Amino acid sequence: MSVEDKIILIIAEQGLLDVTDVNLEATLDELGIDSLGVVESIFAIEEEFDIEVPFNANAPEKSDFDISSVGSIVVAVEKLVAEQI
Amino acid sequence: MNRVVITGAGTVNALGGNVQQTLEAMREGCSGISQLEFRDVDRLSVKIGGQARGFDGARHFDSQKIVQYDRFTQLTLVAAREAMEQSGLIFSGELAETAGVVLGTAAGGINTWDDNFRSVYEDGKNRVHPLVVPKLMNNAATSHVSMEFNLQGPSLTVSTACASSNHAIGLAFQMVRSGMTRAMIAGGSESMLTFGGIKAWEGLRVMSKSACRPFSANRSGMVQGEGAGVFVLETYVDAKVRGADILAEIVGFSMTSDASHIVMPSKHGAARAMRGALLDAKMDMTDVGYINAHGTGTSANDKTECAAIVDVFGAHSDKLMISSTKSMHGHLIGGTGAVELLACVMALRDGVIAPTIGHEIADPDCALDVVPNIARNAKVKVVVSNAFAFGGMNAVLALKRV
C-alpha cells in the first residue's frame, strides 16, 4: 500500500467515510474532521509510519506540517518518511 | 445568608514556597517556568514546566507521614498550614463538627500511579507498598487536611479538570453563605509533572516547548505547573468578632456546562458563567475592575475567553484589566484557580494587578487590556476569576474588597 493509500485509509476511518469519498483535493474540514480529529489523524499517521510529525494544534497554519488538504498531508508525510531513511 | 470572607491563604508553587514569595514574584513579573527535572524527561518532546523546585516534602513531614503523602498531598498540607496560621482559626467543639474542607485536583496522586506502574510493568516487580491506594486517591489531600486540622463536617474532593479549584472554592463559599457551616478550608492542588503526566498532555498537541504566552499573537500553547493554593473561608461576622485580618470577601459564584465539546471551549458557556457570578454577587458589571483570566495560552482558550468577556462586559470590557498569571506559574490544572485567587486577593488588597508576562505581539482577537509584562498599580473594587475546564465545565468566582 502506498503512502497515499495509507493516509486516505486513516482519514477515511477518522471521518467515518468510505475511502472512495476521500480525494486529494479535499480539506479535512470538508471531510467533517474537526480539530480533535486532526490531532487523532496525526497520531495515527505517526504510528503508521513511525515518524514524528511537527504539528502544534494552537497554530496549525504555522506548523511545518501542511494539513491544508489530503494531498498536502501525503506530500508532507512522504517527505518525513524519506528524511527518515 | 452569611457574608463569606477569606481570612487565611497559603500556597506552594513554581513562584515560591508561600504567599509572600508568590505575590512578590507576580509583582515583579517573574517566570517560574524552566527546564523540567525528573526521570525520563529526555523522552519527552515538551521539556518545560512550572515545577515547585524549592519544595522538599522531607523538610515538612517525618518519615512515617511522608510514606502516606503523594506530592499533591504534601503541597496541599504545607499550603493549608500557612493559611491556617494566618487565619488564626482553631477548629474545636461545635465548629470542628460542622466545618470541612473542599479541594480540587484533576490527577490526584499521579506521582504514585506513575511510580508504581513503572515498578510493576517496567521493573517487573510483583509487590507494591501497602499504602499505594490511600496515597493516590483523589481525596487523599482533602482527608489529610481534615485530619490535621480536625475538620469533621462536610469534606470532599472536586475533580473538574482545570476548573476543579474554582468549583471547590465556590462550593465551600456556598456552604458558608447558606449557613450550613461557619467555616471551611478550600482550594486545590496538582502535581502532574511526571513522565506519564506530561506524556499524556503531549498527545493533545497544545503544549508549548518554549513559553506560556497568553493573549500574545505568537503564543505556542500551554505550559504545565504544579503546586497548591489553600484558603480559610468563614463568615464575615465571625471574622470580625475574632478580629481576624480579612483578605477579601467572596461575593459570587457560578457554574455552567457548555454541553458541546470535550475539549473545545464555548463562548456561551464561559459568558454565562461570568454573568452568573455577577448576578449571584448582585454586582453590576461596571463594578468589576480586574479579571483573572483562565488564559491558558492556547489559541482556542484565549480567543474564546476574550470574545466571552466582550460579550458579557460590552463597552466596559475596554476599561477592564485582564491578566493570566499562568504565564508565570504555569497551568496548575486542578490547582490553578486556587493559586490564581492569590492574584485576585493582591489586586483587591494591595492594589497591584499581576501582569501577563511573555506577551510580545498584540493579537487582534484578544484586543483587551491584558496588562502585558509589567504589573500595574490600580485600585479595584470587584474582581472576577475565570476557570474553564476540558469537558466544558466552567466555574467563575467574584470577589470584593472589604
Side-chain angles (χ1 to χ4, degrees), chain A residues 34-36 39 42-43 46 53-58 62, chain B residues 203-207 217 220-221 261-264 298-299:
Chain A
D34 69 359
S35 58
L36 200 56
V39 170
I42 287 173
F43 168 71
E46 287 184 330
V53 173
F55 178 80
N56 185 330
N58 291 295
K62 287 184 200 148
Chain B
L204 277 166
R205 296 186 181 259
V206 292
M207 301 278 284
S220 50
H261 196 280
I262 197 68
V263 295
M264 290 306 282
T298 63
S299 178

Side-chain angles (χ1 to χ4, degrees), chain B residues 255-267:
Chain B
M255 310 180 253
T256 64
S257 306
D258 295 344
S260 66
H261 196 280
I262 197 68
V263 295
M264 290 306 282
S266 136
K267 183 181 90 166

Side-chain angles (χ1 to χ4, degrees), chain B residues 110-360:
Chain B
I110 191 172
N111 277 279
T112 303
W113 285 108
D114 221 35
D115 290 347
N116 287 282
F117 276 155
R118 193 175 254 142
S119 172
V120 293
Y121 294 142
E122 187 178 329
D123 304 338
K125 289 194 179 168
N126 263 338
R127 195 182 297 122
V128 296
H129 190 278
L131 297 182
V132 167
V133 168
K135 201 172 164 185
L136 62 76
M137 60 193 193
N138 275 22
N139 59 319
T142 303
S143 298
H144 287 297
V145 169
S146 79
M147 288 184 256
E148 182 152 335
F149 300 105
N150 191 27
L151 299 154
Q152 301 168 41
S155 293
L156 66 146
T157 296
V158 179
S159 192
T160 47
C162 314
S164 303
S165 279
N166 269 24
H167 274 120
I169 295 163
L171 289 176
F173 157 68
Q174 289 180 333
M175 289 177 184
V176 177
R177 183 170 67 173
S178 70
M180 177 180 175
T181 173
R182 281 162 47 205
M184 289 293 287
I185 289 181
S189 70
E190 202 71 79
S191 181
M192 220 191 289
L193 301 180
T194 69
F195 178 75
I198 297 289
K199 186 52 85 182
W201 277 93
E202 273 183 12
L204 277 166
R205 296 186 181 259
V206 292
M207 301 278 284
S208 172
K209 294 174 184 175
S210 53
C212 179
R213 303 186 187 286
F215 311 120
S216 188
N218 61 340
R219 71 174 77 73
S220 50
M222 55 172 276
V223 174
Q224 263 203 67
E226 68 168 351
V230 177
F231 300 87
V232 176
L233 275 50
E234 59 184 305
T235 70
Y236 175 79
V237 172
D238 282 348
K240 277 289 180 194
V241 168
R242 292 198 308 117
D245 186 13
I246 295 174
L247 304 180
E249 178 173 357
I250 306 180
V251 287
F253 173 53
S254 174
M255 310 180 253
T256 64
S257 306
D258 295 344
S260 66
H261 196 280
I262 197 68
V263 295
M264 290 306 282
S266 136
K267 183 181 90 166
H268 302 293
R272 284 194 298 122
M274 282 187 270
R275 268 195 202 100
L278 293 177
L279 193 68
D280 189 46
K282 299 185 177 62
M283 292 285 162
D284 193 80
M285 66 174 177
T286 54
D287 293 327
V288 179
Y290 169 64
I291 297 178
N292 184 283
H294 192 54
T296 56
T298 63
S299 178
N301 174 83
D302 293 2
K303 290 172 197 286
T304 306
E305 184 168 17
C306 288
I309 289 170
V310 171
D311 198 44
V312 172
F313 291 90
H316 184 64
S317 55
D318 289 335
K319 299 195 183 82
L320 283 170
M321 291 170 283
I322 297 137
S323 72
S324 168
T325 53
K326 287 187 179 73
S327 56
M328 295 181 270
H329 50 64
H331 190 340
L332 277 72
I333 316 294
T336 211
V339 171
E340 289 164 31
L341 203 67
L342 295 169
C344 295
V345 170
M346 180 168 78
L348 293 170
R349 218 170 127 81
D350 307 331
V352 177
I353 309 297
T356 304
I357 70 164
H359 191 275
E360 294 183 331

